[in-house]
Amino acid sequence: NIAHIYKQSCGLIIFTGMGDDGAASCRLLSQQGGTVWAQLPESATSDSMPRAAIATGCVSLIGTPEHLAEALAARLKNRFSKENPA
């Protein structure tokens, strides 16, 4: 539902987890123009969820949790600086 409402304004980060149920969400969000990132499988406690997400071909950034947090902070900083110029 979020993907249908917010389209390219929403994003999804897939972290450690079991199974592949997040893969369907990755595809749907990507089809709506949203952003999909995933944890580097080698850094995950359980890598099946990020591996399934990456296998969809919808993931645009793969990294450690620290790298993903830094990328998200940079993206938000850039977004808010464009919305509120000094």
Side-chain angles (χ1 to χ4, degrees), residues 50-79:
R51 284 192 190 281
I54 294 165
T56 67
C58 300
V59 176
S60 61
L61 180 65
I62 301 167
T64 64
E66 295 81 7
H67 177 78
L68 295 170
E70 290 169 3
L72 180 59
R75 177 176 251 188
L76 291 174
K77 181 179 179 183
N78 185 39
R79 179 178 175 185

Side-chain angles (χ1 to χ4, degrees), residues 2-61:
I2 290 172
H4 290 300
I5 295 169
Y6 294 102
K7 303 193 183 300
Q8 70 275 3
S9 296
C10 64
L12 171 67
I13 302 176
I14 300 290
F15 289 104
T16 187
M18 296 173 50
D20 64 354
D21 53 323
S25 298
C26 291
R27 287 185 194 97
L28 179 61
L29 191 75
S30 181
Q31 290 170 353
Q32 296 296 323
T35 302
V36 181
W37 295 352
Q39 182 176 358
L40 181 69
E42 293 79 14
S43 71
T45 304
S46 177
D47 68 357
S48 58
M49 187 75 71
R51 284 192 190 281
I54 294 165
T56 67
C58 300
V59 176
S60 61
L61 180 65

